Amino acid sequence: MKILHGTWVPQAEETFIQPGQFCLWVETSEPSRPSRKKAGDRPTHHLPQAALTTLLEEIGIKPPAYRSIEQSIKPYHWLLPTAADSPLPSLELSRYLEQDASDTFDYQLWAVDCYVTPALTTLTLLNELHFIALYNLAEVQLGADLLFWYHYTQSLKQVLQRDQYIPAMRYRELAPASKTRSKRKTAAQKRTKANIEPSAFEIYPTWDLIGERYETELQTFVDYMPLSCTAAFEEKTKATEFYEREPLLRHFSECFLAELVSKTGFPQNFRKKIEGSLLEHCIFADLGNPWTSPEWKEQYQQWQTWRDRITRSQTAIPFHIYFHLQEPDRPE
């Protein structure tokens, strides 16, 4: 039996707007190699790159057009329950193994070969895997983490279909240039001071999910989110720390929405209509060149007022509108 696992992993980049990828890996009842009993190595009960490629091809998973399945597989690091220098099987896999569960364990990082895909293709991937597992089209089963993401993406899809999102702006305050006691400064220090001090902020175009439905659904899924969904990292970390559930869900949702808008084809005449507007900047965002001029800060303040007005109108209306049906005076 093969158990499919996966979760959303923010990429380890220093950029203010961080991208991310969805990572899928497979736990198997048949050891892939002899046990080495070495923490930090690849677990024995997981499919390595070659076997994972074969499985995904057999069940009909289609990678993005610009890559092959094999090119989309890379090692990620997972905090897994570990005892006796060996990761413990998941609850789903333990049903198929004839071994006693350990009463005590701790969490250690293990390198796992994962199939990675952008946020936008995650919905299609989860739909296909759920269909395959539901109708027993292959000897696979969804783990609790992957099943959680399937249900969350279905809920997110309902929000997006109702167009409950708006153009947004992200404000970043920059740290002022540090003052040095030395009167002599290098040319690089002078350039750094000149680049930071006049603006002291950056503004990025993006998108916001709004509405009471989204916030309510988000909090519901935060409560149901398995710990294993917060246990994956692109780079190896020293501390045993998990991601916080709510920021992780928000990050996935915002990345999914941003990719959805940016990958949508718009006719040229539409772009002419919105030329120079905030809508154009958010649709065709250039995150490598944030806004730093005072004019954009003024627009950011105006956008904040507009967003607050929309939010209050949706969540803080002190009355409800309803219709009272009455019979007509003359039914004919």
Side-chain angles (χ1 to χ4, degrees), residues 136-305:
N136 297 317
L137 302 182
E139 194 177 305
V140 298
Q141 179 181 332
L142 300 188
D145 46 3
L146 209 61
L147 195 59
F148 167 85
W149 282 107
Y150 167 76
H151 289 295
Y152 179 72
T153 52
Q154 295 302 307
S155 173
L156 180 62
K157 182 173 69 173
Q158 298 297 321
V159 173
L160 297 178
Q161 286 177 342
R162 289 170 170 79
D163 296 330
Q164 295 180 349
Y165 53 91
I166 60 172
M169 306 170 79
R170 292 284 183 272
Y171 183 86
R172 181 190 186 188
E173 194 78 28
L174 298 179
S178 59
K179 296 180 180 180
T180 58
R181 294 183 179 180
S182 174
K183 295 182 180 180
R184 299 181 61 184
K185 297 181 180 180
T186 65
Q189 287 176 326
K190 292 179 180 179
R191 285 196 299 270
T192 300
K193 183 176 181 180
N195 288 338
I196 293 180
E197 287 185 350
S199 61
F201 69 90
E202 293 175 342
I203 297 175
Y204 297 81
T206 182
W207 294 86
D208 261 356
L209 286 148
I210 61 171
E212 186 176 359
R213 179 190 177 101
Y214 170 67
E215 293 297 332
T216 302
E217 292 288 321
L218 183 74
Q219 295 306 318
T220 299
F221 279 96
V222 165
D223 295 335
Y224 291 142
M225 191 177 198
L227 184 63
S228 56
C229 291
T230 66
F233 306 89
E234 185 179 16
E235 296 182 353
K236 190 173 182 179
T237 60
K238 295 181 180 179
T240 307
E241 295 181 354
F242 296 87
Y243 284 108
E244 294 183 19
R245 287 177 168 89
E246 183 176 337
L248 186 65
L249 278 181
R250 289 189 184 277
H251 185 254
F252 169 78
S253 304
E254 292 170 2
C255 288
F256 185 91
L257 174 58
E259 287 187 27
L260 177 65
V261 174
S262 64
K263 300 298 182 182
T264 301
F266 294 95
Q268 191 64 30
N269 60 347
F270 172 76
R271 185 162 185 175
K272 290 181 179 179
K273 291 180 180 179
I274 63 172
E275 187 174 3
S277 67
L278 174 61
L279 184 59
E280 181 193 27
H281 290 296
C282 290
I283 293 175
F284 309 100
D286 181 9
L287 299 179
N289 294 293
W291 305 320
T292 58
S293 64
E295 292 80 8
W296 279 112
K297 187 170 185 178
E298 183 178 352
Q299 287 202 29
Y300 171 75
Q301 293 168 344
Q302 294 173 355
W303 170 82
Q304 273 191 316
T305 303

Side-chain angles (χ1 to χ4, degrees), residues 102-159:
S102 176
D103 295 331
T104 60
F105 61 88
D106 59 2
Y107 285 94
Q108 295 183 20
L109 278 173
W110 294 83
V112 177
D113 287 337
C114 299
Y115 172 74
V116 297
T117 187
L120 189 57
T121 57
T122 300
L123 182 61
T124 302
L125 174 66
L126 293 175
N127 285 342
E128 292 176 351
L129 295 177
H130 184 262
F131 182 84
I132 291 169
L134 182 63
Y135 292 98
N136 297 317
L137 302 182
E139 194 177 305
V140 298
Q141 179 181 332
L142 300 188
D145 46 3
L146 209 61
L147 195 59
F148 167 85
W149 282 107
Y150 167 76
H151 289 295
Y152 179 72
T153 52
Q154 295 302 307
S155 173
L156 180 62
K157 182 173 69 173
Q158 298 297 321
V159 173

